[in-house]
């Protein structure tokens, strides 16, 4: 159950009432929001005199449910936004990992030429083998911060684990929680306390309900700026790296009030399919795409087969505009 208390009650009283009702208490600018487990279906006795409004919820998808707040969260991205009226589709692009200053300069120049606002590159890479490149770490974050100044791009980058969550929060404009850490409560809390937009990627073995519950972990820390990312789930099929769950996206659009971006690069795993998938995603009306592109994918230190070269990226990007326009969206 979600319960609103008026802002003019004392903070300590709100917290004491929350404790009595076994609820979390989130302070907003105009109210206190108390959230109990969804099995609570009648207003707790202690809140009867103070509750302003309340919602019974069928599952623990609560704060991110359209049953609670029907309109999609609007998230400021530089001079524009995603979510809200749903008019914009954001492109977030860059190499899987920052590998060198030279490489990331080439990436930034291409993004700038294309009018793209958000550079995404990993500094702490979650890998499936310990013998592969794991990222430049803090040195990478520092170069990304220089790129933000030099090119006026926003920087999105991943926090892989709690050892460096504070560093990522310090340097990034947009924090990514990766598929393999979707369930890491330390990271969800760090993301929730960051005050920055968070891209929450769906674990490849996770249900939609598990994804939205993780989103509620972040929202219940008081951070409303959560962006969901569908990046492919594991199915019986192994000719493609994963399977992009567009049915899942349709479900999220219907039931969840958070903007949704799609990552066809990790879903497909091969550059040849990424353009087609990006066009399909755009046609279904989404809030953004996350695409991996590298100045020279053949020498990329991670995810080489799926990264588009810059020519492929530009061709893909220009093919999206008429599709976006046909469904009333603007590419940003
Ligand atoms: C990535 O975004 O580079 C990445 C590691 O993706 P995921 O968390 O979806 O596997
Ligand atoms: Mn990658």
């Amino acid at each position: 159950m979600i319960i609103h208390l008026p802002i003019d009650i004392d903070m300590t009283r709100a917290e004491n009432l929350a404790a009595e009702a076994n609820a979390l208490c989130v302070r907003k600018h105009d109210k206190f929001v108390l959230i109990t487990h969804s099995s609570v279906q009648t207003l707790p006795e202690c809140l009867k005199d103070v509750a302003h409004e309340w919602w019974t919820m069928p599952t623990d998808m609560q704060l991110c449910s359209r049953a609670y707040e029907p309109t999609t969260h609007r998230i400021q991205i530089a001079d524009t936004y995603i979510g809200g009226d749903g008019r914009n589709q954001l492109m977030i692009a860059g190499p899987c990992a920052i590998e060198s200053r030279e490489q990331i300069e080439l990436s930034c120049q291409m993004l700038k030429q294309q009018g793209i606002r958000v550079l995404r590159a990993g500094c702490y890479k979650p890998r499936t083998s310990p013998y592969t490149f794991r990222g430049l770490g803090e040195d990478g974050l520092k170069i990304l911060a220089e790129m933000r100044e030099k090119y006026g791009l926003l920087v999105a980058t991943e926090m892989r684990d709690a050892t460096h969550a504070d560093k990522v929060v310090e340097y990034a404009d947009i924090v990514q929680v990766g598929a393999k850490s979707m369930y890491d409560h330390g990271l969800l809390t760090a993301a929730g306390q960051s005050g920055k937009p968070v891209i929450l990627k769906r674990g490849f073995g996770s249900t939609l309900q598990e994804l939205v519950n993780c989103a509620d972990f972040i929202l219940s820390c008081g951070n409303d700026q959560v962006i969901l990312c569908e990046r492919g789930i594991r199915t019986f099929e192994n000719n493609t790296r994963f399977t992009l769950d567009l049915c899942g996206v349709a479900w999220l659009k219907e039931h969840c009030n958070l903007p949704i971006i799609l990552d066809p690069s990790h879903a497909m795993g091969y550059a040849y399919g990424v353009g087609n998938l990006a066009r399909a995603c755009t046609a279904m009306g989404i809030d953004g795409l996350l695409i991996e592109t590298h100045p020279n994918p053949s020498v990329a230190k991670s995810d080489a087969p799926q990264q588009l070269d810059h020519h492929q990226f530009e061709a893909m990007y220009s093919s999206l505009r008429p599709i976006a326009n046909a469904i009333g969206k603007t590419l940003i």
Side-chain angles (χ1 to χ4, degrees):
M1 175 177 278
I2 303 177
I3 305 121
H4 285 183
L5 306 185
I7 196 68
D8 55 14
I9 74 165
D10 183 72
M11 175 88 176
T12 316
R13 181 156 178 240
E15 281 169 357
N16 288 342
L17 286 168
E20 199 178 338
N22 279 324
L24 290 180
C25 178
V26 182
R27 191 181 199 283
K28 299 279 175 185
H29 71 282
D30 60 344
K31 57 185 166 287
F32 292 98
V33 182
L34 271 50
I35 314 112
T36 71
H37 189 260
S38 52
S39 58
V40 176
Q41 294 282 310
T42 50
L43 188 64
E45 198 56 41
C46 62
L47 299 175
K48 290 226 157 100
D49 293 337
V50 271
H52 195 243
E53 276 183 288
W54 58 94
W55 293 256
T56 53
M57 304 300 289
T59 75
D60 274 338
M61 171 190 186
Q62 300 204 59
L63 295 173
C64 73
S65 169
R66 288 205 193 277
Y68 167 53
E69 275 177 355
T71 50
T72 307
H73 289 210
R74 178 182 152 125
I75 299 179
Q76 195 68 30
I77 304 286
D79 55 342
T80 180
Y81 63 90
I82 56 169
D85 59 11
R87 229 165 10 109
N88 294 329
Q89 179 177 314
L90 177 69
M91 176 58 78
I92 301 172
C96 179
I98 170 170
E99 299 165 1
S100 68
R101 185 184 301 273
E102 296 67 37
Q103 171 236 23
I104 207 72
E105 288 264 8
L106 291 171
S107 297
C108 292
Q109 285 158 13
M110 188 278 285
L111 296 184
K112 238 13 225 186
Q113 263 166 18
Q114 296 294 307
I116 290 166
R117 289 172 175 79
V118 187
L119 163 72
R120 198 214 64 129
C123 300
Y124 299 92
K125 297 305 300 177
R127 303 308 305 272
T128 43
S129 161
Y131 309 115
T132 52
F133 177 64
R134 301 195 209 179
L136 297 183
E138 193 175 354
D139 291 342
L141 289 176
K142 288 182 177 156
I143 302 174
L144 290 181
E146 279 177 41
M147 297 300 116
R148 167 183 34 236
E149 296 312 313
K150 182 163 177 187
Y151 293 96
L153 291 161
L154 295 188
V155 168
T157 195
E158 175 170 357
M159 41 165 79
R160 184 190 55 211
D161 59 59
T163 60
H164 54 257
D166 53 342
K167 292 260 176 277
V168 170
V169 169
E170 181 186 337
Y171 286 99
D173 300 297
I174 301 174
V175 168
Q176 176 178 317
V177 176
K180 294 163 204 83
S181 353
M182 186 196 87
Y183 257 130
D184 184 323
H185 290 175
L187 286 187
L188 296 175
T189 304
Q193 292 171 346
S194 68
K196 302 204 165 165
V198 178
I199 297 173
L200 177 64
K201 294 187 103 179
R202 177 183 183 185
F204 53 75
S206 301
T207 63
L208 296 165
Q209 184 70 40
E210 287 163 342
L211 170 66
V212 294
N213 281 359
C214 288
D216 258 50
F217 267 100
I218 302 173
L219 297 168
S220 62
C221 293
N223 186 351
D224 283 338
Q225 306 176 81
V226 180
I227 303 163
L228 299 179
C229 179
E230 161 58 28
R231 47 77 74 210
I233 53 173
R234 179 131 296 155
T235 65
F236 53 79
E237 183 51 66
N238 57 16
N239 279 305
T240 58
R241 192 176 181 192
F242 294 97
T243 297
L244 192 62
D245 184 11
L246 298 186
C247 291
V249 173
W251 185 88
L252 290 168
K253 283 176 58 158
E254 180 71 13
H255 297 286
C256 179
N257 63 22
L258 299 174
I260 302 154
I261 66 172
L262 282 90
D263 170 359
S265 300
H266 289 88
M268 184 70 205
Y270 301 100
Y272 71 83
V274 170
N276 282 337
L277 288 170
R279 286 183 284 277
C281 294
T282 302
M284 81 181 285
I286 55 166
D287 298 287
L289 282 170
L290 195 163
I291 304 283
E292 286 195 342
T293 175
H294 190 289
N296 184 359
S298 66
V299 299
K301 292 187 176 172
S302 57
D303 286 347
Q306 73 196 30
Q307 302 206 56
L308 303 184
D309 68 29
H310 288 177
H311 292 298
Q312 291 169 323
F313 180 86
E314 286 164 25
M316 179 278 301
Y317 191 44
S318 62
S319 75
L320 301 182
R321 187 153 281 115
I323 301 171
N325 293 345
I327 60 156
K329 289 252 187 190
T330 306
L331 293 189
I332 61 165

